[in-house]
Every structure is written in structure tokens, then in C-alpha cells.
Amino acid sequence: MMTQLLSGDQTELAAGLLRQGEPVGIPTETVYGLGCNGLDPNAVRKVFAAKGRPMDNPLIVHIADREAWPSLVREIPPLASALADRFWPGPLTIILPKSDLVPSETAGGLQTVGVRLPAHPIAQDIIRCAGVPIAAPSANRSGSPSPTTAAHVMADMNGRIPAVVEGGSCLCGIESTVVALDDEKTVRVLRPGFVTAEQLAEIAPRVIVDDAVLSRLEDGKAAPSPGMKYRHYSPEAQVIMLNGSGETVAEYINRRFTHGDCALVYDADCQLYGSSHVFGYGDTDESRGAQLFARLREMDARGYKRIFVRAPRTDGVGLAVYNRLLRAAGYDVRDTAVSPYLVGLTGQTGAGKTTVSDVFAEHGFAILNADHIARSVVQSGSPCLEEIVAAFGEKILLPDGTLDRKQTAAVIFSDPEAKKQYEGIIFPHIIRGVFHAIDSLATEGVDRILLDAPTLFESGLHTACDHVVSVVAEETIRLKRIMQRDSMTVEEARRRMSAQHSTEFFRSHADSVLENNGSLAELIAQAEAMIAALPIH
Ligand code: TXA
Ligand code: MG
């Protein structure tokens, strides 16, 4: 299918397609919507298919005149009317019990329907001309940032729908505020937007911002708004949200910036950075809202792998921007005022990690040894040890009830499946222990930490590090060192070594590689040079 780009005055053509049951990309003042006849279950199914959206996530129904509202809902309470009086046309969606006219497909199987009267003249034209209420989710592929230009819609939907209507850049850039009524006095904000909680409070006696707006939904808890449970607004790149002043955020980013990174900060902060990979997204919450999704898409298009974003405050429209960022970042929010610089150190057994770790200590790094933490999480009576015993049986315990390390090693190094199962149990406990230790060091004022972790990559801890260092050495060198250090036979040492990643793996997954060619003096010199080049001085 060829997707046609229609101009803003071809609204009749767009309306014709909609009447025939086809989906069409249409501009609104919030984001572009993927519109369809909201009363036609087949048309609605096409929209879900084009987006790749789960069928239990309901669509918002768009109308061009208030008169179309009563037929879609069971009744309109006075509070809902008052909200519409004040905010329509505009970026507010009001959820009410649905009438039988609204198909269950549109409502995602719920008994309610969200209705909105958009302010965009082209949207109004199209809806009026189509003569039916238009159900429209944001016109992105499910999970990616919402489109705020016709080009964004084309990028996601080309070949999947017959047409997109050009309507310029969206004024808000963030989807509508979605509200439900808890009772005749209470408005509940399910999704924040350009209509703010503060503005709603001018109309409603009570405004509640739903918990899910600022925190992750607990597993198994029903979502008041089904859209909240899905990964959302996410670019391909990893997004890290940073809270703090312009200065602390700049310091945090400048210390960590490496190849593939970019940053999105307030316009006024840009001068605090010396990098061409730092972008502004405005100096007001409104401008940040308007630019957020376009910026995230742009950064993906440029191939960045990691995006640092200075988050806005959570009042006014800032709440909406913060909420979208939270989801884009998968809830990875960091407080720049207290975060130490974290170096991850890894490498094969016997390659010389301890030597390198000593050099870091001399340079003021607090040393966190993941092996020590691993040992502490399996102490007798610990929940982790209980899980291990449940999986592997009492045979891996010593008579005094502690973990038999030799026996455990024998079990897990002989069977890849057992190793995987063991790691699946122990890593989450180690990770929690590591972060706990980092937080306590941070509160003591420590600003640089070396995390020495042989299983840095396997545990996923490398993703938390600002810089990853691998120490590698020729096999013969490692063999000799292991046999000496752990008084092992050649066979035992070989077996230990074969359970580890290849030298090539450690080389290609690190920010810095230190080569141990047998001379400790040289290894130390390499480590010194590497530390000197870190952006922490
Ligand atoms: O600004 C907007 O609202 C845009 C433009 C196109 O109007 N539309 C939009 O639709 O953002 P969509 O489908 O991407 O997001 C609608 C959100 C979803 O999170 C959905 O779960 C929630 O609103 N929602 C819709 N109907 C609902 C209902 N009856 N009850 C609870 N939540 C509902
Ligand atoms: Mg959406």
C-alpha cells in the first residue's frame, strides 16, 4: 500500500477514506492521531493492526461538536460539562461510562469511553466532514514516541495506512490530559497533559493525580488507564532522566559523556557544555513538552545510543513532560546531586584485576568488590541461600548450613543450564547489594567508586557504570597466575578458565582495555594512564 501525504485542504478526501472504514493520519493540537470511524469495529481493528497495539488498550473518540457527545456516553454529569465548557476545544479527554453506540473494540473491552474535542482546525474539518466520531490513538507504532509532525507519522506508518494529512508541527507536542470522574466532585488525572492539574482544580472541587502518573505500576495491579501498563514513548536509545539544577546535571553529564551519548537539557543550560551532542528543548515546560518527542525521534535518527535528559519539575505542564520521560527512561531517574562516578572493572580470572584495583584505590576510588557482596548475600539464613537450596538441594551446603563453595562450583561449572539457573537466583541479590553499597558510599560523600566484578556483564551491572574497564591477558599468563594463586592443578585452572568469556569478548565490551603482557609494572602504568584520562579530574 502506498501511503499518500494529503495537504491540509484535502480534508474531504481524508473524510471519504474514513467513511469507507480506512485509517488516516490526522493532525491535532496534541499529537498526530491515527483516525478511523469510531463506530465501525472493522475500521478500529485496522487501526490496532497498523499500530501494533494490544486490543485491550482503548481509543479516544474525537468529536467536532459538543452535540455529538451525549450519544457516546450514558450521561454527562455537571462536573464533566463544566470541564468541557472550560477546556474544549482543547487537549482534554474526559472518560465516562459509554453508550451502546460505542463498539467494545473502540473501548478496548471497557465499559467507559474517553471523548475529546480537539482544537486543531484541520482535525475539526475532517471529523465534521466524515460525519462520524473519529477514534484516534496517537499515530506512532505502539511503544515509540508519539508523532508531532506528518513526517513522523510517515516514518512509522508508511505502507501501513492509505493516507496522512499534513498539518504542521503540533502545538502541544504531548498527548491530551486524560481524566476520569471519581464522584460528582472529584477529577482523577490518569494521564497529565497541557491541561494541568492546577487548571483542573479551578473547575473541580477535588483533583487527584493518579499514583501511576509518577510511579511504576505494581505487578499484577489493574491499571486505571490500560495505556499506563505498556512501555511507552520509548526511543531506541537508552534514556536516563536526571534531576537536579542546571549545574549539577551538567557536571553529571560532562563526567560521563562518551561516544554515542547525547543530552537534552534546558536551552539556557547548553552553555554549560562543551559538546556538540548537547541539545536544548526549551526554557519553559510548554516548549519542553512541544519539543520532547520530536527531539527523541531526532536523536534516534542520528544513531545515539544513550540520551541523558534534564527532567523538568513536576508542576504545571512539567508533570506531563516528566511523566512521558519516566516511561521513555523505563523509570531510570538519577539524582545528580548525589551520584558518584562508577567504574566497572572486569576481566578473566588471573588477568590481573587485583593489581589494577589497587591502582584505583591509590587514586581515591572506594573499592566495591562484587565477590564480597556475592559472598554476603549467600550467608546462612539469607533469602538468597534459601532460594539456592530450594533449586539445588541440601547437597550444596556444608554441615554448618553455609554454602559449600567448592561443591557449588562443581555443580554450576559442569552444566551450563545449572549455571544459568544459579545466576538467575544470585544476580538480583548481588545487584541490590551493590546499589545499596553505592548509595551508602554516596551519602558518606564518596564521589568515585570502582566496582570490581568478574561477572560485570553477565549480571548486567555494566549498564550502571559510567566507564567499563576490562583486564585481559594471554592464556599462558593467566594459567600460571591462577595455579600459583589458588594452588590449582593445570586441569583445574583450565576448567576455571574455560567457563569464562573469551578475551575477545572482554576486549569488545569495554570502554578501556588493559593488556597484561606479564609485566605488572607495565599493567600498572596502563592503569595509571587510563585513570588520568577519565573525565573526573
Ligand atoms: O492527545 C491525544 O489524546 C491523542 C490525539 C490523537 O488525540 N490521542 C492519544 O491516544 O494519545 P492514545 O490512544 O495514544 O492514548 C490514549 C490513552 C491510553 O493510555 C488509553 O489507555 C487511555 O488514554 N484511555 C483511553 N480510553 C480510556 C478509558 N475508557 N479508560 C481509561 N483510559 C483510557
Ligand atoms: Mg499513544
Side-chain angles (χ1 to χ4, degrees):
M1 182 192 305
M2 266 277 290
T3 302
Q4 254 191 300
L5 184 61
L6 304 178
S7 74
D9 47 24
Q10 289 178 291
T11 50
E12 275 184 35
L13 218 121
L17 286 166
L18 289 166
R19 271 196 306 272
Q20 289 162 30
E22 291 299 326
V24 177
I26 56 176
T28 84
E29 76 279 27
T30 57
V31 300
Y32 275 72
L34 187 54
C36 69
N37 179 351
L39 306 183
D40 175 353
N42 282 325
V44 170
R45 272 188 219 111
K46 284 186 195 170
V47 163
F48 278 98
K51 270 185 71 85
R53 173 164 170 145
M55 287 293 291
D56 68 348
N57 196 357
L59 304 185
I60 292 170
V61 176
H62 298 68
I63 55 178
D65 300 285
R66 275 280 283 270
E67 292 68 49
W69 195 15
S71 69
L72 299 170
V73 295
R74 245 186 278 143
E75 62 165 333
I76 300 175
L79 181 55
S81 257
L83 291 173
D85 289 344
R86 165 74 199 274
F87 299 109
W88 281 1
L92 179 70
T93 296
I94 303 171
I95 294 173
L96 290 171
K98 75 175 193 71
S99 73
D100 293 338
L101 194 63
V102 178
S104 143
E105 283 79 0
T106 305
L110 299 180
Q111 288 309 312
T112 53
V113 64
V115 177
R116 168 164 120 77
L117 201 163
H120 201 295
I122 296 178
Q124 291 185 1
D125 253 18
I126 293 172
I127 299 166
R128 232 171 249 135
C129 189
V132 287
I134 298 298
S138 49
N140 50 294
R141 294 298 308 276
S142 201
S144 63
S146 292
T148 56
T149 67
H152 294 161
V153 183
M154 272 296 188
D156 276 22
M157 292 294 162
N158 197 3
R160 310 178 70 88
I161 57 173
V164 178
V165 181
E166 176 60 69
S169 288
C170 299
L171 221 57
C172 303
I174 285 215
E175 307 87 343
S176 62
T177 304
V178 176
V179 297
L181 306 186
D182 281 6
D183 54 48
E184 68 275 11
K185 288 202 170 87
T186 311
V187 167
R188 176 176 296 270
V189 178
L190 301 181
R191 182 176 74 180
F194 264 58
V195 170
T196 64
E198 293 85 345
Q199 289 173 325
L200 291 165
E202 291 167 17
I203 305 294
R206 218 154 78 95
V207 176
I208 297 174
V209 175
D210 196 88
D211 285 346
V213 167
L214 283 181
S215 51
R216 196 196 296 264
L217 205 63
E218 277 165 41
D219 280 352
K221 205 174 148 205
S225 170
M228 287 179 182
K229 71 180 178 219
Y230 298 110
R231 192 184 122 113
H232 244 138
Y233 319 115
S234 299
E236 297 285 319
Q238 177 193 7
V239 176
I240 297 166
M241 261 174 102
L242 301 174
N243 279 327
S245 68
E247 285 74 22
T248 62
V249 169
E251 195 188 328
Y252 186 99
I253 292 175
N254 282 331
R255 277 171 146 205
R256 288 161 173 83
F257 230 51
T258 59
H259 179 73
D261 287 349
C262 66
L264 187 58
V265 300
Y266 298 4
D267 279 349
D269 300 340
C270 286
Q271 50 166 38
L272 301 169
Y273 300 83
S275 164
S276 60
H277 304 287
V278 174
F279 306 87
Y281 71 139
D283 275 325
T284 64
D285 291 327
E286 284 76 11
S287 71
R288 290 190 277 266
Q291 294 180 54
L292 177 66
F293 289 143
R295 285 299 203 193
L296 294 180
R297 278 179 179 259
E298 189 185 324
M299 289 168 166
D300 260 351
R302 293 191 188 204
Y304 289 113
K305 297 283 170 271
R306 193 162 72 151
I307 307 172
F308 292 107
V309 188
R310 180 176 174 203
R313 291 168 26 154
T314 55
D315 52 354
V317 173
L319 181 66
V321 182
Y322 198 98
N323 164 271
R324 304 310 192 274
L325 269 172
L326 262 181
R327 279 130 213 272
Y331 298 89
D332 187 349
V333 190
R334 304 182 190 176
D335 188 341
T336 53
V338 293
S339 196
Y341 189 87
L342 184 63
V343 175
L345 176 66
T346 189
Q348 295 144 315
T349 321
K353 276 195 301 97
T354 310
T355 305
V356 174
S357 160
D358 290 345
V359 181
F360 272 93
E362 276 163 29
H363 284 268
F365 277 77
I367 310 296
L368 262 187
N369 189 315
D371 275 345
H372 293 173
I373 292 173
R375 229 159 280 160
S376 73
V377 300
V378 295
Q379 272 167 6
S380 65
S382 67
C384 183
L385 187 60
E386 276 173 28
E387 280 179 59
I388 295 171
V389 171
F392 295 94
E394 306 267 341
K395 66 172 185 287
I396 48 107
L397 291 181
L398 290 170
D400 67 355
T402 59
L403 190 69
D404 183 340
R405 317 202 119 262
K406 266 228 153 92
Q407 177 64 20
T408 308
V411 170
I412 65 173
F413 286 125
S414 62
D415 172 8
E417 276 309 308
K419 181 159 177 276
K420 226 162 98 191
Q421 192 187 4
Y422 181 78
E423 291 177 342
I425 296 170
I426 189 165
F427 282 151
H429 292 277
I430 295 175
I431 290 168
R432 236 170 285 145
V434 165
F435 280 110
H436 185 74
I438 289 174
D439 287 345
S440 350
L441 286 170
T443 51
E444 288 165 23
V446 168
D447 72 342
R448 55 192 69 178
I449 297 174
L450 179 79
L451 173 62
D452 178 349
T455 53
L456 190 73
F457 297 115
E458 293 87 334
S459 61
L461 277 166
H462 66 289
T463 61
C465 296
D466 300 302
H467 196 91
V468 171
V469 182
S470 284
V471 190
V472 299
E474 292 272 321
E475 199 176 310
T476 45
I477 295 175
R478 280 184 283 132
L479 201 59
K480 203 167 111 203
R481 287 171 54 95
I482 295 172
M483 287 167 61
Q484 269 172 10
R485 188 189 62 191
D486 301 338
S487 46
M488 281 183 169
T489 64
V490 182
E491 290 73 40
E492 285 171 326
R494 280 237 163 78
R495 199 167 336 122
R496 170 72 67 85
M497 283 168 51
S498 70
Q500 297 192 319
H501 282 301
S502 67
T503 305
E504 198 32 56
F505 178 91
F506 282 108
R507 254 191 244 282
S508 59
H509 284 70
D511 298 311
S512 297
V513 180
L514 304 180
E515 309 265 352
N516 180 353
N517 55 17
S519 152
L520 283 189
E522 244 176 69
L523 182 61
I524 291 168
Q526 286 177 47
E528 295 276 2
M530 194 225 87
I531 294 169
L534 289 177
I536 51 170
H537 304 286

